[in-house]
Amino acid sequence: LLTIAGGKLTGYRKMAEKVVDMVARDLGQAGRSFKPCNTDKIPYSGGDFGGSDKMPAFVEDRAQRGVKLGLAEEDARRLARRYGTNVDVVFNLLASGRDRAEAYGLRPDVYAELAYGLRHEMVATPSDFFIRRTGALYFDIDWVKENQDAVIRYMAAACGWSEEETERHARELEARVMEATVVEEADTGLPAGIVGA
């Protein structure tokens, strides 16, 4: 049994490399042969630019494609940065889903991210979308508040939720929004209701 603790998401590959190399070495001493870890040769999903120096040009090119699809330039650029080389899939979902987006009151960029998340990132709940897939709950709370009802409506239909399930997910997201925005007096010494930075 090997146990590894600590670290951050940004260092998970290095941690994995150390563990795999250690296991390969130990098994090698037991007479079995394994190659060392090759995680540094595997491109990240959406990160196959052919080198990080090519990313800015890629983002600009794809941002222009997003604008041609009707997105605001800022939204198109944000999607290109967030999804990298996977943004073409996101844009294709946008192009084929305009009617669905409109039917649920979703902005085109939000629809594209949500559809991509449901199909390719295993988004399970509205909180999952706003916390783990977009990070918006922590970095753009106004965007969450603006889009949460439409996201819930769309996910309820797409996932076949009952009214009870839909309400449960809505309450859970609302609780996460409140946790992210209201700072308790006991925690900071500030009056309750002050928005956290």
Side-chain angles (χ1 to χ4, degrees):
L1 172 67
L2 293 175
T3 302
I4 187 165
K8 297 180 180 179
L9 183 60
T10 53
Y12 81 93
R13 279 193 163 186
K14 196 63 175 170
M15 295 166 67
E17 179 181 27
K18 287 180 180 181
V19 171
V20 168
D21 288 348
M22 186 183 304
V23 169
R25 184 194 69 229
D26 290 352
L27 291 175
Q29 292 172 355
R32 297 176 72 186
S33 177
F34 291 92
K35 295 179 182 177
C37 184
N38 68 343
T39 186
D40 60 333
K41 309 288 188 287
I42 301 170
Y44 290 104
S45 177
D48 197 11
F49 299 101
S52 60
D53 58 323
K54 296 179 182 171
M55 184 181 172
F58 175 88
V59 167
E60 288 309 309
D61 177 70
R62 291 316 191 272
Q64 293 313 306
R65 179 179 176 213
V67 168
K68 288 178 185 172
L69 287 169
L71 293 174
E73 188 171 346
E74 178 183 328
D75 292 330
R77 187 171 284 111
R78 177 179 52 79
L79 293 176
R81 280 193 309 268
R82 175 170 291 154
Y83 295 99
T85 55
N86 294 338
V87 76
D88 291 329
V89 177
V90 176
F91 286 163
N92 290 341
L93 289 167
L94 168 61
S96 66
R98 289 187 183 285
D99 293 341
R100 283 186 297 280
E102 192 172 311
Y104 288 93
L106 284 164
R107 290 179 10 189
D109 60 309
V110 178
Y111 168 79
E113 287 190 89
L114 184 56
Y116 181 84
L118 287 165
R119 292 183 189 187
H120 299 283
E121 296 182 325
M122 298 172 49
V123 167
T125 68
S127 294
D128 184 31
F129 175 69
F130 286 117
I131 296 170
R132 285 171 287 286
R133 300 309 184 267
T134 65
L137 187 77
Y138 303 120
F139 301 108
D140 195 353
I141 195 72
D142 291 334
W143 188 82
V144 175
K145 290 176 180 179
E146 176 187 335
N147 295 291
Q148 68 186 49
D149 293 338
V151 165
I152 292 167
R153 277 193 306 274
Y154 182 81
M155 287 189 72
C159 299
W161 294 337
S162 67
E163 189 174 318
E164 181 180 274
E165 288 173 302
T166 303
E167 289 175 11
R168 181 170 38 94
H169 290 303
R171 283 191 308 272
E172 198 264 336
L173 177 58
E174 191 58 40
R176 301 294 78 78
V177 169
M178 289 299 295
E179 288 172 0
T181 56
V182 178
V183 178
E184 296 296 329
E185 183 175 332
D187 293 339
T188 65
L190 297 171
I194 299 293
V195 176

